[in-house]
Amino acid sequence: MFKITKNRLFVGALLCVLVGYVAYLELQHLRNQVTLQADATHASVPDVAVVQPKPAPSTLAMTLPGNINAWYEAPIYAQVSGYVKMWNKDYGAPVKKGDTLAEINAPGLDAQYAQAKADLQVTQAKYGLATVTADRWRSMGKSQAVSGQSVSVQNANEQSARAALEAAQHNVDHYDALERFKTIVAPFDGVVTARNISVGDYVGAGGGNLNANGTASELFTVADTHEMRLFVSVPEVFSYVLKPGLKARVTVPQYPNQVFTANFLTIAKGYDPNTRTAITEFTIDNADQKLWPGTFATVSLSAPAEGGVYTIPTGALVFQEKGMQVVTVDAQNKAHYKNITVGRMSDAYTEVDAGLTPTDHIINNPPADLLEGQTVRLSAPEKGYLTSASNSDEEDDE
């Protein structure tokens, strides 16, 4: 009897353990289900970091490469063919307008000039004879000694001789002008920046010096450097600052510690379709002759920026079919897409010209599957994430 009671107690205890274990498993299952449901509900609402637009800097500054050229620069070619008799000005020589740079020996031209003058003398003699003859025939025509037809013929001969005389005179004038071109002169006050001839070199009319390869080049290059022209290719997004009164700070490699001031002169009112830049011209006073043509320059420009422009992280931009957009978050944590007009862009930050207000909360790096009106959860960004980007952009602006 005692043995049966003991077995029953054992079986009862075992059943209690099994029931308790089953109840524990069911409770754990329910707890896991609640946790999963809570996690799913939490995951359905994306975590986002928001930023607010910042006013763009009040001053626009940029640094661009430029080229410095002479105020006037003229390559000088020969107008007559011959051999260089002598050159008078070398590299770097200052010259005045009309100074002799070189002389050309052109015996062929001299012979043609002499022949033209001889031809002029012949035509002068023929014209004199035609004039005397025509006068006689006109006198005889008055007394009816000869026919009117004969007088007309002599008048025509006189006119023909006069025309031949004028043609001969023009031919002499032509060669006389070419004779003067045997002397190469400076076209204006300046400095000789190139001399490509030596004594005895053959030069061709209009073709300059013929080197061993048969390539023609200019005899001299003369530059007026009292004032210099600075040419800068300015991107189209900066072109609105280019206007009279604008000044640029210029540095050149040979004078790294000296800053030259350049004054705005003009701008090409058209953009290069390949570079999207406009050629802009400045002037630099060069009374001390420190700057030379062909110098590379670093040009710093600064001007007041347009008002009403804000900056946002470039990662906040959304490219849609409707155009450029950002995603803003309202007071109920609802996401809304907003159209904007962007200006200048950089890797870190982008300027927004229209479409934002200073109080807008903008999602930085919005999820690609974010829908209009979807609820989002605001979260603080990792320490240093936005701060580092902001500091990097400020350093770039400086």
Side-chain angles (χ1 to χ4, degrees):
M1 189 72 177
F2 176 76
K3 186 176 181 180
I4 294 174
T5 303
K6 186 176 181 179
N7 290 338
R8 288 179 178 177
L9 291 174
F10 176 77
V11 171
L14 181 61
L15 289 174
C16 290
V17 170
L18 291 175
V19 170
Y21 180 70
V22 171
Y24 170 77
L25 292 178
E26 184 65 22
L27 180 62
Q28 187 68 24
H29 175 72
L30 292 175
R31 182 180 299 173
N32 290 341
Q33 186 175 6
V34 171
T35 301
L36 290 174
Q37 185 175 1
D39 290 344
T41 302
H42 185 276
S44 64
V45 179
D47 293 319
V48 296
V50 297
V51 295
Q52 287 184 275
K54 296 181 179 179
S58 59
T59 300
L60 174 66
M62 54 185 164
T63 301
L64 300 169
N67 293 308
I68 296 177
N69 293 335
W71 186 253
Y72 294 126
E73 189 168 21
I76 301 173
Y77 293 87
Q79 295 297 314
V80 296
S81 298
Y83 295 90
V84 177
K85 180 179 179 181
M86 180 60 67
W87 53 264
N88 299 355
K89 300 295 183 181
D90 207 348
Y91 287 92
V95 295
K96 295 293 184 179
K97 181 178 180 179
D99 284 355
T100 300
L101 303 178
E103 296 180 8
I104 299 174
N105 187 13
L109 174 63
D110 296 340
Q112 291 175 321
Y113 185 36
Q115 181 179 351
K117 290 191 288 186
D119 291 340
L120 176 61
Q121 292 177 350
V122 171
T123 54
Q124 285 175 337
K126 290 182 178 179
Y127 175 65
L129 178 60
T131 300
V132 172
T133 303
D135 288 341
R136 291 175 178 173
W137 282 84
R138 281 192 288 269
S139 298
M140 290 186 292
K142 293 178 181 179
S143 61
Q144 303 295 323
V146 294
S147 65
Q149 177 67 26
S150 301
V151 175
S152 299
V153 170
Q154 296 305 320
N155 288 336
N157 290 339
E158 181 185 21
Q159 294 175 356
S160 177
R162 182 185 297 112
L165 176 60
E166 291 177 354
Q169 183 62 56
H170 289 315
N171 194 37
V172 170
D173 294 340
H174 168 71
Y175 282 107
D176 183 62
L178 291 179
E179 282 287 322
R180 289 195 293 271
F181 280 124
K182 294 194 316 183
T183 301
I184 308 299
V185 299
F188 44 74
D189 295 353
V191 63
V192 176
T193 59
R195 174 185 61 80
N196 299 315
I197 58 172
S198 295
V199 174
D201 282 348
Y202 176 77
V203 295
N209 181 29
L210 299 179
N211 56 30
N213 298 325
T215 304
S217 62
E218 64 271 16
L219 307 184
F220 293 90
T221 300
V222 176
D224 177 1
T225 57
H226 80 283
E227 194 171 10
M228 308 299 284
R229 299 179 190 268
L230 170 66
F231 295 92
V232 185
S233 295
V234 179
E236 59 181 322
V237 294
F238 299 117
S239 60
Y240 73 92
V241 306
L242 303 173
K243 59 188 67 175
L246 178 66
K247 295 183 181 296
R249 293 165 53 86
V250 182
T251 58
V252 295
Q254 59 269 40
Y255 303 111
N257 298 322
Q258 183 173 355
V259 177
F260 299 88
T261 300
N263 298 307
F264 175 83
L265 179 62
T266 185
I267 182 174
K269 296 182 179 179
Y271 298 107
D272 185 334
N274 297 317
T275 62
R276 299 302 176 187
T277 59
I279 298 296
T280 307
E281 186 177 353
F282 293 82
T283 62
I284 306 176
D285 181 72
N286 194 38
D288 54 6
Q289 299 294 302
K290 281 190 172 182
L291 298 176
W292 296 352
T295 299
F296 172 81
T298 300
V299 184
S300 299
L301 298 173
S302 61
E306 292 183 334
V309 179
Y310 299 94
T311 61
I312 61 172
T314 300
L317 298 177
V318 179
F319 301 89
Q320 298 281 12
E321 294 181 359
K322 298 179 180 180
M324 200 73 72
Q325 294 180 318
V326 293
V327 184
T328 60
V329 179
D330 61 16
Q332 289 74 39
N333 290 346
K334 300 290 185 180
H336 301 285
Y337 284 85
K338 198 171 188 180
N339 295 325
I340 61 172
T341 302
V342 300
R344 295 179 299 145
M345 300 180 65
S346 66
D347 293 339
Y349 275 75
T350 296
E351 289 187 356
V352 178
D353 297 335
L356 291 181
T357 64
T359 58
D360 285 334
H361 290 78
I362 302 168
I363 298 177
N364 192 21
N365 296 312
D369 57 350
L370 188 63
L371 301 177
E372 171 68 25
Q374 184 176 348
T375 301
V376 296
R377 183 183 303 106
L378 303 185
S379 62
E382 292 292 335
K383 184 178 180 180
Y385 174 68
L386 291 178
T387 304
S388 299
S390 177
N391 292 340
S392 174
D393 184 68
E394 290 176 359
E395 292 176 358
D396 292 342
D397 291 342
E398 293 178 358

